[in-house]
Amino acid sequence: MADKSPRNAQSEAEALAFSGQLGKTIQRLRKAYNLSLSELSEQSGVAKSIISQIERNETNPTLATIWRLSQALDVSIDRVLSAAHDADFVEDIPPNDMPVLTSEDGKMQLTIIGWSKTVEWLQWYDVAAETGAVLESEGHQRGSIECLSVLSGTFEVVAGQETRRVEAGGTVRYRCDRPHTVRCLEAGTDGAKGRATMVCILKAAVME
């Protein structure tokens, strides 16, 4: 399957604004522990130059980097990210700006409705498929879980040796750290496409 992590310019701009508050929080916690940049780098495994860029709002850190810093500072990720919860946040994305992935057979489209800031560990999509559409994917990080909630039509999921048929209104959850396939067995009525929501939780990404 195609890479599930493209980013659009508007989301990147918002993410950089978010990391500005994150940088202040990291710097405040580092100074509270009387740690130099070099000391925090040694304890976290994050390069000194990267930490400096985060504090100066010059880079957009991944969740894995935030996790390493939070462990070194002996605080939870929730606390590190708490500064971002203080300000109101609303983001409008026009339909034409939503990235779309297409299966190799051209019969299934996945509109990326997830936030680029969480793409390292949480991804979600709006799925539209014709009858007979097939989406084949390689395995993701170990321990990852995918959830498919069918809104209309009938889908089939094959994960490893397991096969499940999912009707409208149903949800199937399955390990996606191995090759897996999603098929649209029957689209909607009156020529409408089968519709579903797909959520992928990449559990191992936080620990890398």
Side-chain angles (χ1 to χ4, degrees):
M1 178 181 173
D3 182 16
K4 292 183 178 179
S5 58
R7 299 164 180 248
N8 59 61
Q10 184 175 1
S11 293
E12 283 292 341
E14 190 283 325
L16 286 171
F18 170 81
S19 66
Q21 297 189 32
L22 174 65
K24 293 178 182 178
T25 301
I26 294 296
Q27 185 179 66
R28 175 173 54 81
L29 292 172
R30 176 175 65 81
K31 291 183 176 181
Y33 281 98
N34 293 316
L35 294 174
S36 66
L37 287 171
S38 297
E39 290 170 332
L40 181 55
S41 175
E42 182 178 351
Q43 293 183 25
S44 65
V46 178
K48 175 182 174 181
S49 60
I50 296 298
I51 299 174
S52 179
Q53 289 173 4
I54 292 172
E55 292 188 355
R56 297 197 307 270
N57 187 28
E58 294 178 354
T59 188
N60 185 27
T62 65
L63 190 67
T65 296
I66 299 172
W67 183 84
R68 292 190 183 102
L69 291 172
S70 70
Q71 293 299 297
L73 294 168
D74 195 27
V75 294
S76 68
I77 288 181
D78 287 343
R79 182 181 172 189
V80 173
L81 298 178
S82 61
H85 294 260
D86 295 336
D88 293 334
F89 170 62
V90 177
E91 179 182 25
D92 294 319
I93 305 176
N96 292 338
D97 288 346
M98 303 290 282
V100 178
L101 305 177
T102 302
S103 60
E104 290 187 7
D105 62 11
K107 294 182 178 181
M108 188 180 300
Q109 289 77 43
L110 281 72
T111 301
I112 302 173
I113 57 178
W115 188 24
S116 65
K117 187 63 183 179
T118 68
V119 74
E120 298 285 345
W121 58 280
L122 179 66
Q123 305 165 2
W124 65 102
Y125 311 86
D126 175 60
V127 181
E130 301 174 25
T131 298
V134 178
L135 180 69
E136 296 182 334
S137 302
E138 297 297 327
H140 304 303
Q141 293 97 320
R142 182 172 176 80
S144 298
I145 299 293
E146 204 161 84
C147 307
L148 184 75
S149 297
V150 177
L151 304 177
S152 65
T154 303
F155 286 73
E156 178 185 79
V157 172
V158 179
Q161 302 300 314
E162 298 290 331
T163 300
R164 293 292 186 275
R165 180 186 176 98
V166 196
E167 306 284 349
T171 294
V172 61
R173 299 185 181 94
Y174 48 95
R175 289 185 62 169
C176 59
D177 56 0
R178 57 203 63 188
H180 51 286
T181 302
V182 176
R183 293 187 177 91
C184 180
L185 301 180
E186 183 179 350
T189 59
D190 299 326
K193 292 185 177 181
R195 300 299 298 268
T197 297
M198 179 187 293
V199 178
C200 186
I201 305 170
L202 304 173
K203 292 184 178 180
V206 179
M207 304 299 295
E208 291 178 350

